[in-house]
Amino acid sequence: MLKPFLIAKNLHKSFNSRKAVDRVSFSIRKGEIFGLLGPNGAGKTTTIRILSTVLEPDRGDVIIGGYSIRRNPDAVRRLIGVCPQELALYEELSAIDNLVFFGRMVGLSGSEAKAQAVARLKLVGLTGRAKGRVDKFSGGMKRRVNLAVSLMGHPKLLFMDEPTVGIDPQSRNRIYRTIERLRDRGMTILYTTHYMEEANRLCDRVAIIDAGRIIAMDTPLALRSRIGPPEQVTLEDVFLKLTGRRLRD
């Protein structure tokens, strides 16, 4: 069994009287894709903001690569990359200029940032559009540039917050293949989604979160087996059974 690369311990976060994260604990092994599933407002994004040192928890701690987010946040930041749900790009710049800019922001030299930018655009299938302005790109292409940006600086752990929202099936499939290649290279990934087919395809283990609490955690196969023959049960069946069918608008 590989040693956990991330250990989240008893995380709490409230906004006024609302508990956004409530006693959340889990670990992620090195080289694992760990899925965090939940309906809208379940606490997925707040959890990622805590893990990535953007938001301080009210209680609890997270250890990443041996470093505490409370005591050594700068050391943690050097180990992680974040692919946010909201696009974090300068649309008036080209794809490669975006990557070079963010590469310099994480401390790369100009030449190293350029070399990494070329390699990251190749990974996401955008070499031919490297000099194109991002504001002319489709939604799927922007998502792929967003992913490429998150990989600048050789992160050991990648946080991906619903990276395929609102894009076409072809772009979504390209992102899946990129994530699988990253896993094959040893990248550790936390992946939040509410698309069940994504979790079933990509994730080694899945935690289902609702109302700020983790209510189930296991492999997709084991979760499906909880409510029936796994070949007849989908992860969506499990999700709806555990979280209910009430709309979360």
Side-chain angles (χ1 to χ4, degrees), residues 133-152:
R133 280 174 55 122
V134 169
D135 61 359
K136 305 299 183 184
F137 286 4
S138 68
M141 291 168 66
K142 290 177 183 179
R143 287 281 174 191
R144 285 149 63 192
V145 177
N146 211 42
L147 171 55
V149 164
S150 72
L151 296 170
M152 297 297 291

PDB file of all heavy atoms in Angstrom, residues 133-152:
ATOM      1  N   ARG A 133      -5.165  33.593 -30.170  1.00  0.00           N
ATOM      2  CA  ARG A 133      -5.721  34.300 -29.022  1.00  0.00           C
ATOM      3  C   ARG A 133      -6.805  33.462 -28.363  1.00  0.00           C
ATOM      4  O   ARG A 133      -7.672  32.889 -29.032  1.00  0.00           O
ATOM      5  CB  ARG A 133      -6.314  35.637 -29.456  1.00  0.00           C
ATOM      6  CG  ARG A 133      -5.293  36.743 -29.641  1.00  0.00           C
ATOM      7  CD  ARG A 133      -5.940  37.987 -30.205  1.00  0.00           C
ATOM      8  NE  ARG A 133      -7.075  38.451 -29.410  1.00  0.00           N
ATOM      9  CZ  ARG A 133      -7.171  39.662 -28.851  1.00  0.00           C
ATOM     10  NH1 ARG A 133      -6.176  40.516 -28.997  1.00  0.00           N
ATOM     11  NH2 ARG A 133      -8.245  40.013 -28.185  1.00  0.00           N
ATOM     12  N   VAL A 134      -6.758  33.420 -27.040  1.00  0.00           N
ATOM     13  CA  VAL A 134      -7.687  32.578 -26.296  1.00  0.00           C
ATOM     14  C   VAL A 134      -9.129  33.023 -26.488  1.00  0.00           C
ATOM     15  O   VAL A 134     -10.044  32.195 -26.470  1.00  0.00           O
ATOM     16  CB  VAL A 134      -7.280  32.555 -24.805  1.00  0.00           C
ATOM     17  CG1 VAL A 134      -8.364  31.923 -23.941  1.00  0.00           C
ATOM     18  CG2 VAL A 134      -5.969  31.792 -24.626  1.00  0.00           C
ATOM     19  N   ASP A 135      -9.360  34.322 -26.692  1.00  0.00           N
ATOM     20  CA  ASP A 135     -10.743  34.775 -26.850  1.00  0.00           C
ATOM     21  C   ASP A 135     -11.389  34.275 -28.137  1.00  0.00           C
ATOM     22  O   ASP A 135     -12.610  34.373 -28.300  1.00  0.00           O
ATOM     23  CB  ASP A 135     -10.851  36.292 -26.744  1.00  0.00           C
ATOM     24  CG  ASP A 135     -10.055  37.040 -27.808  1.00  0.00           C
ATOM     25  OD1 ASP A 135      -9.395  36.393 -28.635  1.00  0.00           O
ATOM     26  OD2 ASP A 135     -10.092  38.286 -27.794  1.00  0.00           O
ATOM     27  N   LYS A 136     -10.606  33.696 -29.026  1.00  0.00           N
ATOM     28  CA  LYS A 136     -11.145  33.116 -30.253  1.00  0.00           C
ATOM     29  C   LYS A 136     -11.374  31.610 -30.136  1.00  0.00           C
ATOM     30  O   LYS A 136     -11.840  30.969 -31.076  1.00  0.00           O
ATOM     31  CB  LYS A 136     -10.194  33.384 -31.429  1.00  0.00           C
ATOM     32  CG  LYS A 136      -9.848  34.846 -31.643  1.00  0.00           C
ATOM     33  CD  LYS A 136     -11.080  35.692 -31.960  1.00  0.00           C
ATOM     34  CE  LYS A 136     -10.690  37.137 -32.248  1.00  0.00           C
ATOM     35  NZ  LYS A 136     -11.865  37.995 -32.456  1.00  0.00           N
ATOM     36  N   PHE A 137     -11.022  31.038 -28.988  1.00  0.00           N
ATOM     37  CA  PHE A 137     -11.112  29.597 -28.789  1.00  0.00           C
ATOM     38  C   PHE A 137     -12.528  29.187 -28.403  1.00  0.00           C
ATOM     39  O   PHE A 137     -13.280  29.959 -27.798  1.00  0.00           O
ATOM     40  CB  PHE A 137     -10.151  29.137 -27.692  1.00  0.00           C
ATOM     41  CG  PHE A 137      -8.696  29.124 -28.079  1.00  0.00           C
ATOM     42  CD1 PHE A 137      -8.272  29.583 -29.313  1.00  0.00           C
ATOM     43  CD2 PHE A 137      -7.747  28.631 -27.197  1.00  0.00           C
ATOM     44  CE1 PHE A 137      -6.932  29.569 -29.671  1.00  0.00           C
ATOM     45  CE2 PHE A 137      -6.410  28.600 -27.539  1.00  0.00           C
ATOM     46  CZ  PHE A 137      -5.997  29.070 -28.777  1.00  0.00           C
ATOM     47  N   SER A 138     -12.866  27.927 -28.689  1.00  0.00           N
ATOM     48  CA  SER A 138     -14.117  27.347 -28.209  1.00  0.00           C
ATOM     49  C   SER A 138     -14.027  27.112 -26.699  1.00  0.00           C
ATOM     50  O   SER A 138     -12.937  27.153 -26.104  1.00  0.00           O
ATOM     51  CB  SER A 138     -14.380  26.019 -28.912  1.00  0.00           C
ATOM     52  OG  SER A 138     -13.425  25.049 -28.501  1.00  0.00           O
ATOM     53  N   GLY A 139     -15.187  26.835 -26.088  1.00  0.00           N
ATOM     54  CA  GLY A 139     -15.191  26.551 -24.659  1.00  0.00           C
ATOM     55  C   GLY A 139     -14.323  25.358 -24.304  1.00  0.00           C
ATOM     56  O   GLY A 139     -13.602  25.375 -23.296  1.00  0.00           O
ATOM     57  N   GLY A 140     -14.367  24.317 -25.143  1.00  0.00           N
ATOM     58  CA  GLY A 140     -13.550  23.141 -24.878  1.00  0.00           C
ATOM     59  C   GLY A 140     -12.069  23.424 -24.972  1.00  0.00           C
ATOM     60  O   GLY A 140     -11.266  22.916 -24.166  1.00  0.00           O
ATOM     61  N   MET A 141     -11.658  24.239 -25.938  1.00  0.00           N
ATOM     62  CA  MET A 141     -10.245  24.602 -26.074  1.00  0.00           C
ATOM     63  C   MET A 141      -9.780  25.428 -24.879  1.00  0.00           C
ATOM     64  O   MET A 141      -8.671  25.238 -24.368  1.00  0.00           O
ATOM     65  CB  MET A 141     -10.032  25.363 -27.380  1.00  0.00           C
ATOM     66  CG  MET A 141     -10.209  24.504 -28.620  1.00  0.00           C
ATOM     67  SD  MET A 141     -10.286  25.492 -30.132  1.00  0.00           S
ATOM     68  CE  MET A 141      -8.635  26.166 -30.196  1.00  0.00           C
ATOM     69  N   LYS A 142     -10.638  26.339 -24.415  1.00  0.00           N
ATOM     70  CA  LYS A 142     -10.276  27.139 -23.234  1.00  0.00           C
ATOM     71  C   LYS A 142     -10.087  26.239 -22.020  1.00  0.00           C
ATOM     72  O   LYS A 142      -9.170  26.451 -21.207  1.00  0.00           O
ATOM     73  CB  LYS A 142     -11.348  28.190 -22.958  1.00  0.00           C
ATOM     74  CG  LYS A 142     -11.396  29.312 -23.982  1.00  0.00           C
ATOM     75  CD  LYS A 142     -12.530  30.281 -23.678  1.00  0.00           C
ATOM     76  CE  LYS A 142     -12.621  31.371 -24.735  1.00  0.00           C
ATOM     77  NZ  LYS A 142     -13.743  32.312 -24.476  1.00  0.00           N
ATOM     78  N   ARG A 143     -10.943  25.235 -21.882  1.00  0.00           N
ATOM     79  CA  ARG A 143     -10.801  24.300 -20.765  1.00  0.00           C
ATOM     80  C   ARG A 143      -9.463  23.560 -20.841  1.00  0.00           C
ATOM     81  O   ARG A 143      -8.822  23.302 -19.826  1.00  0.00           O
ATOM     82  CB  ARG A 143     -11.954  23.294 -20.777  1.00  0.00           C
ATOM     83  CG  ARG A 143     -13.280  23.858 -20.339  1.00  0.00           C
ATOM     84  CD  ARG A 143     -13.363  23.969 -18.845  1.00  0.00           C
ATOM     85  NE  ARG A 143     -14.590  24.633 -18.423  1.00  0.00           N
ATOM     86  CZ  ARG A 143     -14.811  25.042 -17.188  1.00  0.00           C
ATOM     87  NH1 ARG A 143     -13.893  24.865 -16.256  1.00  0.00           N
ATOM     88  NH2 ARG A 143     -15.928  25.653 -16.870  1.00  0.00           N
ATOM     89  N   ARG A 144      -9.051  23.204 -22.042  1.00  0.00           N
ATOM     90  CA  ARG A 144      -7.776  22.499 -22.204  1.00  0.00           C
ATOM     91  C   ARG A 144      -6.586  23.418 -21.905  1.00  0.00           C
ATOM     92  O   ARG A 144      -5.598  22.990 -21.311  1.00  0.00           O
ATOM     93  CB  ARG A 144      -7.693  21.909 -23.602  1.00  0.00           C
ATOM     94  CG  ARG A 144      -8.587  20.675 -23.751  1.00  0.00           C
ATOM     95  CD  ARG A 144      -9.127  20.493 -25.140  1.00  0.00           C
ATOM     96  NE  ARG A 144      -8.090  20.261 -26.124  1.00  0.00           N
ATOM     97  CZ  ARG A 144      -8.280  20.304 -27.439  1.00  0.00           C
ATOM     98  NH1 ARG A 144      -9.494  20.585 -27.914  1.00  0.00           N
ATOM     99  NH2 ARG A 144      -7.303  20.066 -28.269  1.00  0.00           N
ATOM    100  N   VAL A 145      -6.688  24.696 -22.294  1.00  0.00           N
ATOM    101  CA  VAL A 145      -5.634  25.648 -21.921  1.00  0.00           C
ATOM    102  C   VAL A 145      -5.602  25.810 -20.400  1.00  0.00           C
ATOM    103  O   VAL A 145      -4.532  25.869 -19.785  1.00  0.00           O
ATOM    104  CB  VAL A 145      -5.855  27.011 -22.607  1.00  0.00           C
ATOM    105  CG1 VAL A 145      -4.789  28.015 -22.137  1.00  0.00           C
ATOM    106  CG2 VAL A 145      -5.806  26.877 -24.121  1.00  0.00           C
ATOM    107  N   ASN A 146      -6.780  25.873 -19.777  1.00  0.00           N
ATOM    108  CA  ASN A 146      -6.870  25.982 -18.318  1.00  0.00           C
ATOM    109  C   ASN A 146      -6.152  24.821 -17.638  1.00  0.00           C
ATOM    110  O   ASN A 146      -5.425  25.000 -16.650  1.00  0.00           O
ATOM    111  CB  ASN A 146      -8.346  25.994 -17.919  1.00  0.00           C
ATOM    112  CG  ASN A 146      -8.634  26.801 -16.678  1.00  0.00           C
ATOM    113  OD1 ASN A 146      -8.101  27.883 -16.498  1.00  0.00           O
ATOM    114  ND2 ASN A 146      -9.506  26.283 -15.830  1.00  0.00           N
ATOM    115  N   LEU A 147      -6.345  23.615 -18.176  1.00  0.00           N
ATOM    116  CA  LEU A 147      -5.659  22.446 -17.637  1.00  0.00           C
ATOM    117  C   LEU A 147      -4.158  22.560 -17.848  1.00  0.00           C
ATOM    118  O   LEU A 147      -3.372  22.270 -16.932  1.00  0.00           O
ATOM    119  CB  LEU A 147      -6.205  21.177 -18.316  1.00  0.00           C
ATOM    120  CG  LEU A 147      -5.477  19.864 -18.040  1.00  0.00           C
ATOM    121  CD1 LEU A 147      -5.379  19.587 -16.548  1.00  0.00           C
ATOM    122  CD2 LEU A 147      -6.175  18.711 -18.757  1.00  0.00           C
ATOM    123  N   ALA A 148      -3.739  22.988 -19.035  1.00  0.00           N
ATOM    124  CA  ALA A 148      -2.310  23.132 -19.313  1.00  0.00           C
ATOM    125  C   ALA A 148      -1.660  24.124 -18.348  1.00  0.00           C
ATOM    126  O   ALA A 148      -0.549  23.886 -17.848  1.00  0.00           O
ATOM    127  CB  ALA A 148      -2.102  23.572 -20.760  1.00  0.00           C
ATOM    128  N   VAL A 149      -2.345  25.234 -18.059  1.00  0.00           N
ATOM    129  CA  VAL A 149      -1.817  26.224 -17.120  1.00  0.00           C
ATOM    130  C   VAL A 149      -1.579  25.597 -15.745  1.00  0.00           C
ATOM    131  O   VAL A 149      -0.573  25.859 -15.087  1.00  0.00           O
ATOM    132  CB  VAL A 149      -2.783  27.426 -17.015  1.00  0.00           C
ATOM    133  CG1 VAL A 149      -2.468  28.277 -15.782  1.00  0.00           C
ATOM    134  CG2 VAL A 149      -2.714  28.273 -18.276  1.00  0.00           C
ATOM    135  N   SER A 150      -2.513  24.763 -15.306  1.00  0.00           N
ATOM    136  CA  SER A 150      -2.406  24.171 -13.965  1.00  0.00           C
ATOM    137  C   SER A 150      -1.211  23.239 -13.829  1.00  0.00           C
ATOM    138  O   SER A 150      -0.806  22.907 -12.713  1.00  0.00           O
ATOM    139  CB  SER A 150      -3.694  23.411 -13.617  1.00  0.00           C
ATOM    140  OG  SER A 150      -3.816  22.211 -14.358  1.00  0.00           O
ATOM    141  N   LEU A 151      -0.645  22.815 -14.956  1.00  0.00           N
ATOM    142  CA  LEU A 151       0.486  21.882 -14.936  1.00  0.00           C
ATOM    143  C   LEU A 151       1.834  22.587 -14.999  1.00  0.00           C
ATOM    144  O   LEU A 151       2.878  21.929 -14.936  1.00  0.00           O
ATOM    145  CB  LEU A 151       0.367  20.902 -16.109  1.00  0.00           C
ATOM    146  CG  LEU A 151      -0.845  19.976 -16.061  1.00  0.00           C
ATOM    147  CD1 LEU A 151      -1.001  19.235 -17.379  1.00  0.00           C
ATOM    148  CD2 LEU A 151      -0.724  18.988 -14.907  1.00  0.00           C
ATOM    149  N   MET A 152       1.838  23.898 -15.109  1.00  0.00           N
ATOM    150  CA  MET A 152       3.101  24.629 -15.162  1.00  0.00           C
ATOM    151  C   MET A 152       3.816  24.541 -13.819  1.00  0.00           C
ATOM    152  O   MET A 152       3.211  24.736 -12.767  1.00  0.00           O
ATOM    153  CB  MET A 152       2.857  26.082 -15.550  1.00  0.00           C
ATOM    154  CG  MET A 152       2.270  26.267 -16.943  1.00  0.00           C
ATOM    155  SD  MET A 152       3.358  25.670 -18.275  1.00  0.00           S
ATOM    156  CE  MET A 152       4.682  26.885 -18.193  1.00  0.00           C
TER     157      MET A 152
END
